[in-house]
Amino acid sequence: GGQATIRNFRGHKDDGLRAASVFKRNKNQWKSIYDEVKDWVWQKWPKWMEEKPAWFDDKMRSMIPQDMIPSRDDQKQIAAEIGKK
């Protein structure tokens, strides 16, 4: 159920496992952490687009809600901020 979905998302360190733990489940199971998931996707998206990990395929990308995906301009800004750290 929802608690296991949330626990799995928070417990995994691997991005592919984290993504699968929420995006392959009904959104109602993780709607209480929607903003947390969105922040995570927002920060990781530029890295995933650049590195193209095997799990980040067309099917997985299609499961990610559109409002979680940063625009190209936002991606550049995120990448620049990460580069400063």
Side-chain angles (χ1 to χ4, degrees):
Q3 291 302 318
T5 298
I6 292 166
R7 197 168 41 251
N8 287 337
F9 174 77
R10 290 179 173 163
H12 288 304
K13 299 293 180 225
D14 179 81
D15 286 347
L17 293 174
R18 290 186 91 188
S21 73
V22 288
F23 299 127
K24 290 186 176 184
R25 302 282 182 272
N26 184 305
K27 197 183 298 182
N28 287 330
Q29 291 190 354
W30 53 275
K31 67 182 177 185
S32 66
I33 61 164
Y34 190 92
D35 289 342
E36 180 180 339
V37 175
K38 183 176 180 177
D39 288 345
W40 172 71
V41 170
W42 189 266
Q43 292 297 319
K44 296 285 189 163
W45 189 268
K47 177 184 176 192
W48 298 337
M49 290 297 288
E50 185 178 322
E51 296 178 3
K52 300 197 180 0
W55 63 267
F56 190 62
D57 56 14
D58 289 343
K59 185 174 182 183
M60 180 60 78
R61 284 196 298 273
S62 74
M63 294 180 193
I64 300 172
Q66 284 299 117
D67 71 313
M68 290 191 176
I69 301 171
S71 69
R72 288 195 188 280
D73 287 344
D74 287 332
Q75 288 179 46
K76 289 176 190 170
Q77 185 177 346
I78 295 164
E81 288 174 12
I82 291 171
K84 291 177 188 173
K85 292 181 181 175

